[in-house]
């Protein structure tokens, strides 16, 4: 297996800096032992104007056969004769990808102590792979590399030049050209070489998900071929593919909101203990009971739990047969996994499982999946949204999804003085962006109702203190089918921005 990486330069920024970035001296030919043979690094040319580094992987076929046998674990995608006669020692595949990570580990991370400024900037790069398996042909090669900034030349290799009527093989001679950081280029190759080959020479376990996300950081969440890349990289193992896609979707949403993933994936923190300790019946239970009563009064059958967290409300809805379709949505894949375990979705009978579904999504984006429901619930959700993003949430729920009934609960900030264990001036949860007084909540609710054509009714939840009101304030929005601004394209764009 053979691969070259070339760059050009000048006296001020010599191309020989490639040696520093790869941590391999241009004047030396170096060999590295791997589990499947020896990897050699050498430089066919090295000058200030142009430098080329070559990686040659000399595969030991008997070692390949000894270390892995058969489909999935072995060195060939087929069995029997393919164990002895196959392309593994010659065509670029996951073997070469592993050699890249082994030999150029520091370059993959973008580390270069001697020339950190060169590692951080884009270089004119040319990558050549003379023999690359491409299940999907040259068009797929372009669809994988071109969105990443590469100019792609993928020339099909004929089965036999003496017999052109036989057509082309599944191999291409690949040339990539573009201006990219060297670390980005290596990460693209590390992930996409085995994807194009559509086979791996080793067993794919859960740690492969972490590798995929680590080397796909910054480019894979937004790649148009992300589903194919994820499926092939993980050898079509459904459970691993699902896990990777959920984490990639979370990364995409975090990037869209310009926040850290941890800030979005916060729905699994335990509820504030003081709420459960203050009353014989926990406030969380009282909230769920109030929500269920409102949904029953509204005659709702198809219900959305938006920001469902660990699925407590979904579980309560599932116990009542009048709710025939229940969908829980949350931005946190971790919370959805915990909800699935809480609900025992894998053990539910066919009738029960057909009533409930869990989906990942963000409430600040319109989502066609949310249309057509009788009711939607935002239980302790709005206070987790940054105030500038509230108009987007309002439009996504009230303007685009437009259920007949919307139930919203949120903490009453005035009641915080009754929590003895809550320091003055603090909010009840570390992730709360704000907590409204009763007047502020009422003002927000009336404005939303006026804008999108709803009426509002306010319901206290928990003990209604004569001075500061209840600990939780709840409002029930009922659609009037007479929205004033919901269908105004200008308002829709502004709210979704």
């Amino acid at each position: 297996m053979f691969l070259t990486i070339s760059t050009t330069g000048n006296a001020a920024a010599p191309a020989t800096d490639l040696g520093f970035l790869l941590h391999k001296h241009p004047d030396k030919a170096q060999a590295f032992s791997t589990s499947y043979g020896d990897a050699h690094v050498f430089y066919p040319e090295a000058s200030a104007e142009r430098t080329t580094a070559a990686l040659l992987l000399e595969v030991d076929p008997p070692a390949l056969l000894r270390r892995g046998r058969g489909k999935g674990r072995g060195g060939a995608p087929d069995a029997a004769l393919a164990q002895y006669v196959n392309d593994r020692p010659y065509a670029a595949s996951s073997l070469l990808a592993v050699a890249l990570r082994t030999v150029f580990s520091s370059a993959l991370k973008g580390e270069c102590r001697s020339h950190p400024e060169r590692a951080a900037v884009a270089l004119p790069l040319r990558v050549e792979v003379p023999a690359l398996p491409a299940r999907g042909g040259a068009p797929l090669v372009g669809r994988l590399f071109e969105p990443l900034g590469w100019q792609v030349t993928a020339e099909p290799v004929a089965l036999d030049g003496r017999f052109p009527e036989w057509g082309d093989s599944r191999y291409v001679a690949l040339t990539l050209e573009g201006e990219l950081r060297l670390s980005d280029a290596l990460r693209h190759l590390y992930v996409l070489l085995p994807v194009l080959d559509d086979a791996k020479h080793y067993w794919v376990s859960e740690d492969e998900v972490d590798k995929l996300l680590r080397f796909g950081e910054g480019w894979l969440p937004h790649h148009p071929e992300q589903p194919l890349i994820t499926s092939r990289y993980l050898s079509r193992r459904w459970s691993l593919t699902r896990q990777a896609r959920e984490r990639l979707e979370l990364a995409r949403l975090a990037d869209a909101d310009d926040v850290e993933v941890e800030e979005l994936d916060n729905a699994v923190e335990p509820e504030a203990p003081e709420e459960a300790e203050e009353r014989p019946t926990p406030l969380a239970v009282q909230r769920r009971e109030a929500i269920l009563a409102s949904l029953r009064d509204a005659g709702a059958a198809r219900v959305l739990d938006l920001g469902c967290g660990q699925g407590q409300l979904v579980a309560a809805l599932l116990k009542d047969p009048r709710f025939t379709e229940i969908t829980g949505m949350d931005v946190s894949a971790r919370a959805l996994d915990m909800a699935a375990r809480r609900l025992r979705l894998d053990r539910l009978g066919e009738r029960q499982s057909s009533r409930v579904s869990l989906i990942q999504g963000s409430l600040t984006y319109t989502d066609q999946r949310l249309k057509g429901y009788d009711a939607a619930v935002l239980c302790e959700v709005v206070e987790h949204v940054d105030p500038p993003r509230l108009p987007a949430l309002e439009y996504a729920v009230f303007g685009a999804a437009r259920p007949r009934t919307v139930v919203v609960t949120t903490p009453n900030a005035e009641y915080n003085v009754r929590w003895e264990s809550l320091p003055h001036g603090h909010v009840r949860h570390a992730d709360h962006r704000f907590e409204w007084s009763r007047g502020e909540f009422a003002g927000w609710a009336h404005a939303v109702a006026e804008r999108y054509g709803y009426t509002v009714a306010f319901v206290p939840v928990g003990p209604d203190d004569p001075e500061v009101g209840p600990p939780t304030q709840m409002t029930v929005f009922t659609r009037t089918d007479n929205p004033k601004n919901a269908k105004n394209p200008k308002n829709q764009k502004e709210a979704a921005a």
Side-chain angles (χ1 to χ4, degrees):
M1 300 182 187
F2 189 66
L3 175 150
T4 61
I5 303 174
S6 304
T7 189
T8 56
N10 50 48
T16 48
D17 284 349
L18 183 64
F20 291 104
L21 301 178
L22 292 174
H23 298 262
K24 302 293 179 286
H25 200 289
D27 293 340
K28 297 180 180 179
Q30 298 175 264
F32 304 85
S33 178
T34 74
S35 301
Y36 300 94
D38 293 327
H40 304 270
V41 179
F42 55 94
Y43 289 76
E45 56 182 336
S47 67
E49 292 74 29
R50 181 179 174 86
T51 297
T52 298
L55 173 64
L56 172 65
L57 180 59
E58 191 176 17
V59 177
D60 179 6
L64 184 62
L65 179 61
R66 285 194 302 270
R67 291 185 62 87
R69 299 178 180 276
K71 186 174 182 179
R73 293 190 70 93
D78 307 305
L81 183 63
Q83 293 184 350
Y84 300 92
V85 182
N86 61 68
D87 63 355
R88 299 299 94 176
Y90 313 107
S93 67
S94 58
L95 287 167
L96 186 60
V98 171
L100 275 172
R101 183 165 61 91
T102 302
V103 176
F104 300 135
S105 59
S106 296
L108 267 165
K109 299 174 186 175
E111 296 176 352
C112 183
R113 293 183 180 179
S114 59
H115 292 66
E117 71 289 347
R118 294 284 275 162
V121 300
L123 305 175
L125 296 176
R126 179 184 176 92
V127 177
E128 295 180 77
V129 185
L132 174 66
R135 295 183 184 269
L140 178 61
V141 179
R143 297 206 311 270
L144 293 182
F145 282 101
E146 285 174 355
L148 302 174
W150 292 104
Q151 295 179 5
V152 180
T153 303
E155 298 180 355
V157 177
L159 278 171
D160 193 320
R162 297 170 298 174
F163 303 97
E165 65 273 14
W166 288 4
D168 295 327
S169 69
R170 68 182 183 93
Y171 302 92
V172 298
L174 175 65
T175 301
L176 303 173
E177 293 183 282
E179 289 199 8
L180 295 91
R181 293 187 305 172
L182 179 63
S183 60
D184 292 336
L186 293 174
R187 290 190 294 129
H188 298 164
L189 292 168
Y190 177 79
V191 172
L192 297 180
L193 289 181
V195 167
L196 283 165
D197 186 25
D198 198 15
K200 281 199 171 183
H201 68 277
Y202 57 86
W203 178 248
V204 174
S205 57
E206 288 192 10
D207 62 349
E208 289 298 297
V209 176
D210 294 327
K211 291 181 187 176
L212 175 63
L213 269 63
R214 182 165 69 251
F215 293 109
E217 183 179 2
W219 62 271
L220 184 54
H222 305 279
H223 198 292
E225 296 292 337
Q226 183 218 104
L228 180 142
I229 294 171
T230 305
S231 177
R232 284 194 177 191
Y233 185 88
L234 298 170
S235 296
R236 293 184 170 84
R237 291 194 61 191
W238 181 85
S239 60
L240 299 183
T241 301
R242 176 175 174 270
Q243 178 184 344
R245 287 178 182 173
E246 288 174 345
R247 292 171 61 181
L248 286 166
E249 175 64 9
L250 188 63
R252 185 190 68 80
L253 293 170
D255 184 61
D257 278 350
D258 194 25
V259 298
E260 296 295 326
V261 170
E262 292 75 12
E263 290 189 48
L264 286 179
D265 200 6
N266 57 24
V268 298
E269 294 186 27
E271 193 162 339
E274 61 271 13
E275 293 189 352
E277 295 171 2
E278 285 285 325
R279 299 291 181 263
T281 301
L283 183 58
V285 175
Q286 295 181 60
R287 271 197 297 265
R288 287 194 290 273
E289 291 175 348
I291 291 168
L292 290 170
S294 296
L295 294 175
R296 294 182 187 118
D297 291 343
R302 303 178 67 240
V303 180
L304 285 167
D305 182 8
L306 301 176
C308 65
Q310 300 175 58
Q312 293 94 331
L313 179 59
V314 174
L317 290 164
L318 196 57
K319 293 177 181 178
D320 191 331
R322 78 185 72 196
F323 302 116
T324 58
E325 184 177 346
I326 306 155
T327 299
M329 188 177 86
D330 204 281
V331 73
S332 170
R334 191 155 52 108
L336 291 173
D337 284 339
M338 296 180 72
R341 289 195 294 270
R342 173 188 293 274
L343 298 169
R344 299 185 178 181
L345 292 184
D346 57 337
R347 301 181 187 179
L348 289 179
E350 182 178 350
R351 185 174 179 180
Q352 283 287 78
S353 61
S354 66
R355 294 174 56 211
V356 62
S357 60
L358 300 175
I359 60 176
Q360 186 180 30
S362 171
L363 288 177
T364 55
Y365 297 92
T366 57
D367 193 327
Q368 294 297 318
R369 297 173 297 176
L370 307 185
K371 290 187 175 181
Y373 284 83
D374 299 327
V377 178
L378 293 93
C379 178
E380 308 299 285
V381 169
V382 293
E383 64 273 11
H384 292 269
V385 179
D386 288 313
R389 302 292 290 167
L390 276 177
L393 178 147
E394 293 162 11
Y395 175 70
V397 176
F398 297 90
R402 289 194 62 74
R404 284 204 322 265
T405 302
V406 181
V407 180
V408 179
T409 74
T410 192
N412 171 20
E414 296 170 75
Y415 194 89
N416 288 352
V417 296
R418 296 292 187 257
W419 300 121
E420 295 180 1
S421 58
L422 184 66
H424 177 69
H426 285 230
V427 292
R428 299 185 198 177
H429 190 290
D431 188 60
H432 286 184
R433 272 41 175 184
F434 59 85
E435 287 178 357
W436 278 324
S437 67
R438 287 172 291 173
E440 290 169 330
F441 181 55
W444 173 82
H446 283 299
V448 170
E450 175 72 12
R451 188 177 305 121
Y452 293 105
Y454 283 79
T455 61
V456 291
F458 296 94
V459 180
V461 179
D464 197 354
D465 189 289
E467 295 181 5
V468 296
T472 293
Q473 44 192 341
M474 184 174 88
T475 188
V476 180
F477 294 81
T478 304
R479 197 178 69 203
T480 64
D481 291 319
N482 184 31
K484 293 190 175 182
N485 298 315
K487 295 183 180 180
N488 185 320
K490 181 176 183 295
N491 290 336
Q492 292 178 12
K493 291 178 181 178
E494 289 177 353

